[in-house]
Amino acid sequence: MSTLTDLLDEIHASPAGLMLSDWLAKHPSVPRRTAQRWASELVRNGQVIPTGNGPSRRYHASAKAAWPAPQEISFPTFIPLSVDSRDILAYVDQPLQARKPVGYQREFLHAYQPNATFYLSASQRRQLHSIGKTPDAHAPAGTYSRAILNRLLIDLSWASSHLEGNTYTRLDTVELIDFGRVAQGKATLETQMILNHKSAIELLVENIDSVGFNRYTLLNLHSALSENLLPNSADEGRVRQHGVEIGQSVYRPLAAPQQIDEALDEVLAKAAAIEDPFEQSFFIMVHIPYLQPFADINKRTSRLAANLPLFRANLCPLTFLDVPEQAYSRATLGLYELTRVELLRDLYVWAYERSTQEYLAIRQELAAPDPLRLAWRNLIKQTIRDVVVAPGEDAVAIIERHVMASVPTPEQPNVQALIIEELRRLHEGVLARYGLRLSEFTAWKAAQAV
């Protein structure tokens, strides 16, 4: 995903100035309005100088307000780093021209042997288990993630999107997810990104018994995250068939589709065999971005996939709250260009500690899940979907038919009342939960008003 930083870098690399139309031609995934907003922000900050008007306007780098060189941007001091991590930082903080171009190193993956090789040390794993333990440790898989789902949807959707340059605030995200209200002045791309995260998280939590580290799960997770965001919609949920480049990096991923397929199979097989949930989580955060199996949205896919083993083990989630984008970018650069995990590992441990501080606190405030809603959640969702997609039919009749066919007689009145309550609270922000499209919901609402 291209960012404001990419735009500024290309302006600096264009002695004659850069026309926005030329930049957009090379970055078709960026909406024109977003690029115009970025350019205006750079002008306001004094980082670029515009010349000309209309379509022929060019943007020139400002000599007195240049973009800081990487080595001038200090790594956050509140994230503890090992000596090895500082060594990685010293390398990636060099100018691009000083770093050695490198391709995909197959031995990096081949050398990893599940449950014999460990990226996280034994003491780190013990520490993570200790701070991430929840009261639901021995409950069925997914119990904890379902209990905190409403908060999880907001925190993880917002924080992961923020790492991609999304400018939605956390409050904007609450308004969008809880009430279906789109933030004013935000690009459509940003709204779509948040909603895609919500759908992807729900996919994992609601299907916890069937998802795993396999192609079906990973491809569908990517499809949910990439919906309506890629220049070519055929790339959604599909292993890439072409080469890609990594912005601001000398790393060149595999380009041959057959090699990508083979490496992805190996990544998933090894991930599935790892027994420790934290090692499994970190392994996937390393090898999905490193392989770049998709045309784009690889890091987002890895961040959500990294939560799957935590959901299954009823551990606190990894939400990436307060993770600085610069820290995350440089940690992944060290992975790409040196195949070294120390900096990303230090960031992972810090980020998980930060997440658990939030979730262990809010867990005390959560009411126990409604056992009736939990027991009949699939019936409730299917019934609401059937009501909405048939706006001309009697809603109560549909509900009664579904309840009588599946629910024991003593529970029927309560389940029916529960479905009616859910139907009354239906809004744009929860449509994905029921597999509904906005057009279906709009048509149903219109029918109710007649």
Side-chain angles (χ1 to χ4, degrees), residues 365-381:
E365 304 168 7
L366 292 173
D370 183 338
L372 197 65
R373 182 179 277 107
L374 185 63
W376 297 103
R377 64 184 184 278
N378 292 331
L379 174 69
I380 293 169
K381 290 178 182 179

Side-chain angles (χ1 to χ4, degrees), residues 140-143 145-146 149 152 198-214 216-218 220-221 224 307-309 311-312 374 377-378 381 432-435:
T143 298
S145 56
R146 289 192 185 102
L149 182 57
L152 177 65
K198 174 180 179 291
S199 297
I201 296 164
E202 289 175 333
L203 183 154
L204 294 179
V205 173
E206 294 175 3
N207 298 281
I208 198 68
D209 294 327
S210 59
V211 294
F213 287 112
N214 51 57
Y216 178 84
T217 298
L218 194 70
N220 279 275
L221 181 62
N307 269 290
L308 176 54
F311 293 166
R312 293 166 99 175
L374 185 63
R377 64 184 184 278
N378 292 331
K381 290 178 182 179
R433 182 183 303 171
Y434 305 103

Side-chain angles (χ1 to χ4, degrees), residues 383-391 423 426 436 440-441 443-444:
T383 304
I384 288 176
R385 172 175 171 72
D386 288 352
V387 168
V388 173
V389 299
L423 196 60
L426 193 63
L436 291 166
E440 293 170 329
F441 175 66
W444 178 73

Side-chain angles (χ1 to χ4, degrees), residues 100-112 119 240 244 246 249-256 258-268 270 283 286-293 298 335-339:
K100 180 183 176 181
V102 62
Y104 183 84
Q105 305 296 304
R106 292 169 177 80
E107 184 56 27
F108 180 45
L109 175 61
H110 293 341
Y112 187 95
Y119 290 150
R240 64 180 165 87
V244 294
I246 307 295
S249 177
V250 293
Y251 171 58
R252 299 293 177 263
L254 290 174
Q258 182 178 347
Q259 292 179 330
I260 298 170
D261 272 321
E262 291 171 354
L264 180 59
D265 286 340
E266 186 174 354
V267 167
L268 291 172
K270 291 191 172 185
F283 176 88
V286 167
H287 282 282
I288 292 300
Y290 184 61
L291 176 60
Q292 295 281 305
N298 291 283
L335 170 65
Y336 293 154
E337 299 184 13
L338 298 172
T339 59

Side-chain angles (χ1 to χ4, degrees), residues 350-362:
W350 177 87
Y352 191 71
E353 290 176 344
R354 178 69 185 84
S355 292
T356 58
Q357 291 168 6
E358 290 285 332
Y359 279 81
L360 292 180
I362 67 167

Side-chain angles (χ1 to χ4, degrees), residues 72-146:
E72 295 172 352
I73 306 173
S74 61
F75 196 89
T77 56
F78 51 79
I79 300 177
L81 295 181
S82 63
V83 174
D84 288 334
S85 292
R86 295 187 184 281
D87 184 46
I88 295 171
L89 266 181
Y91 180 82
V92 300
D93 279 351
Q94 297 179 101
L96 198 66
Q97 298 83 352
R99 307 201 304 264
K100 180 183 176 181
V102 62
Y104 183 84
Q105 305 296 304
R106 292 169 177 80
E107 184 56 27
F108 180 45
L109 175 61
H110 293 341
Y112 187 95
Q113 298 302 315
N115 310 312
T117 306
F118 291 95
Y119 290 150
L120 298 170
S121 68
S123 61
Q124 287 171 327
R125 298 195 304 275
R126 284 195 299 271
Q127 175 192 4
L128 294 170
H129 277 282
S130 175
I131 64 177
K133 185 178 180 180
T134 72
D136 298 315
H138 301 294
T143 298
Y144 183 73
S145 56
R146 289 192 185 102

